[in-house]
Amino acid sequence: MIRVPMLFFWSIFVLTGLLTACQPPATKVQVITTDASYSASLSNDASIALVSTAHNGVQVWDLTTSTLSYQWLQGQQKNTSNVIETAISANNLYAATISSHSLAIWRLTDGSSVGWWSLPSYAQSVAIANTGQTLVGLVDGSVMSLSPEKARLIQFLGHQEKVNSVSISADGNKALSGGNDGKVLLWQAQTGQPIQQWQLTSRITKVVINDLGTLSFASDITGNATLWQSGTGKPISHLDINRRQMTFSSARFVNHDQQLLTGTPSREIFLWQINSGKRLSRWQVQLSKNTQNKGAVVYSAAMIAPGSIVSISSQGLVEYWQH
């Protein structure tokens, strides 16, 4: 009788049990919405959550008091099921929402509208700075850079294929974009002047620049994920991803730009050390009770203090974690 296969499967079972047991549970869970959601953003300090819902508009939540601050409707729609992505400025003054062909900018201080703009092509991603300077990545390979204060609009044409992700420094000066052409481009948001260019092996799914504009990050669909110095263009590290593929749905520089916090479309949150690319922690978001959906996209994650993580997912849950 051959007993090796049974021992092998038993070892896998024990190892799986140990890995599951090692996942730390959330210390607090807050239900934001039971409606379907299509995008959500957390502010840097996780005091504000912005959620695009199917039937109840774009909702702005004050997470410090667990209250609904504002409810926005974009365009002439009765609901905002067409709002595909949201963004919050680093200073918590502005928010941006995009539908397939429109951009809206809002004031978080009083919930008022800054303006609404029609877009020339299908929108993919959005980012907004402390000044209200806003980027919109489009499927035609361009990026719209809009300054509402100065009534200035430029079209950046550095990509050959659709732009999947954009990010902007807090002061609104530096823009980062990544597209299906595998290019990661750093450029001046006010003028469109190129600063740096990097090339990854496949289409880019996520880019992020830190608030100061000194660090840049990008990842592609094959799990290549790199951090660079924005000024010199030199690589700092590659994330130590030991999987064949990993896609990020969110990314943010945290802990004084010493660490990177990422979310995935498969319920996972990761914390990485920037100077080494080493993974420090992993969490897994919950599924709502009685949900028919067995998956969850991590829309956004933030660090409110060293070791204290907050996430918001497509399950409509805001979860709090400790590292």
Side-chain angles (χ1 to χ4, degrees):
M1 181 180 294
I2 300 175
R3 298 181 180 274
V4 173
M6 183 177 293
L7 178 61
F8 176 72
F9 286 121
W10 172 248
S11 299
I12 292 177
F13 175 77
V14 172
L15 179 59
T16 303
L18 287 173
L19 288 173
T20 303
C22 288
Q23 300 306 317
T27 58
K28 176 184 174 183
V29 180
Q30 181 179 350
V31 180
I32 291 296
T33 181
T34 56
D35 195 2
S37 62
Y38 301 104
S39 175
S41 299
L42 292 173
S43 59
N44 277 353
D45 60 2
S47 64
I48 301 171
L50 184 63
V51 188
S52 168
T53 68
H55 304 102
N56 294 285
V58 177
Q59 299 181 348
V60 182
W61 285 84
D62 182 341
L63 296 182
T64 62
T65 58
S66 301
T67 56
L68 181 63
S69 300
Y70 314 115
Q71 193 167 354
W72 297 328
L73 299 179
Q74 184 160 333
Q76 302 299 315
Q77 301 293 330
K78 292 182 179 179
N79 59 58
T80 52
S81 59
N82 62 338
V83 170
I84 58 174
E85 190 164 343
T86 59
I88 299 174
S89 64
N91 59 1
N92 295 355
L93 292 183
Y94 295 101
T97 59
I98 54 171
S99 67
S100 58
H101 284 92
S102 68
L103 161 70
I105 300 177
W106 315 84
R107 295 181 184 88
L108 288 169
T109 50
D110 58 9
S112 63
S113 171
V114 175
W116 180 94
W117 294 265
S118 179
L119 298 170
S121 179
Y122 195 95
Q124 289 283 103
S125 56
V126 66
I128 189 165
N130 289 349
T131 59
Q133 183 82 29
T134 303
L135 305 178
V136 182
L138 303 173
V139 297
D140 65 3
S142 68
V143 181
M144 305 305 294
S145 181
L146 172 68
S147 175
E149 287 184 344
K150 300 177 182 178
R152 179 189 300 165
L153 175 66
I154 68 167
Q155 187 175 20
F156 179 71
L157 303 173
H159 294 274
Q160 280 71 54
E161 299 182 45
K162 71 178 181 179
V163 178
N164 298 315
S165 184
V166 293
S167 183
I168 193 166
S169 58
D171 62 9
N173 288 327
K174 291 181 180 177
L176 189 68
S177 55
N180 274 9
D181 52 9
K183 285 184 182 179
V184 182
L185 299 177
L186 180 68
W187 45 282
Q188 289 286 350
Q190 310 291 330
T191 65
Q193 183 70 28
I195 301 173
Q196 300 288 350
Q197 176 176 325
W198 303 281
Q199 184 73 43
L200 296 188
T201 57
S202 57
R203 67 180 174 91
I204 308 301
T205 57
K206 179 60 63 176
V207 300
V208 66
I209 192 169
N210 67 336
D211 287 345
L212 295 175
T214 56
L215 302 174
S216 297
F217 166 79
S219 63
D220 65 19
I221 58 171
T222 63
N224 290 319
T226 305
L227 292 140
W228 298 275
Q229 294 176 349
S230 299
T232 64
K234 294 181 179 179
I236 299 171
S237 65
H238 302 278
L239 296 191
D240 188 13
I241 297 173
N242 54 10
R243 300 180 185 179
R244 194 169 182 180
Q245 289 186 331
M246 180 179 286
T247 301
F248 295 120
S249 52
S250 69
R252 190 190 307 259
F253 287 94
V254 296
N255 195 15
H256 307 291
D257 295 336
Q258 297 179 55
Q259 296 168 340
L260 185 75
L261 189 62
T262 62
T264 76
S266 52
R267 298 177 56 191
E268 295 173 303
I269 305 166
F270 294 98
L271 183 65
W272 311 85
Q273 189 68 32
I274 285 176
N275 59 6
S276 65
K278 297 296 183 182
R279 194 182 89 183
L280 301 177
S281 291
R282 174 186 179 272
W283 301 269
Q284 189 172 50
V285 301
Q286 299 182 25
L287 300 177
S288 301
K289 293 180 180 179
N290 304 318
T291 182
Q292 298 298 317
N293 190 349
K294 300 303 180 184
V297 179
V298 178
Y299 285 141
S300 186
M303 179 179 285
I304 53 178
S308 296
I309 308 298
V310 184
S311 67
I312 186 168
S313 74
S314 58
Q315 290 285 322
L317 303 178
V318 173
E319 298 174 70
Y320 296 78
W321 316 82
Q322 290 297 321
H323 167 54

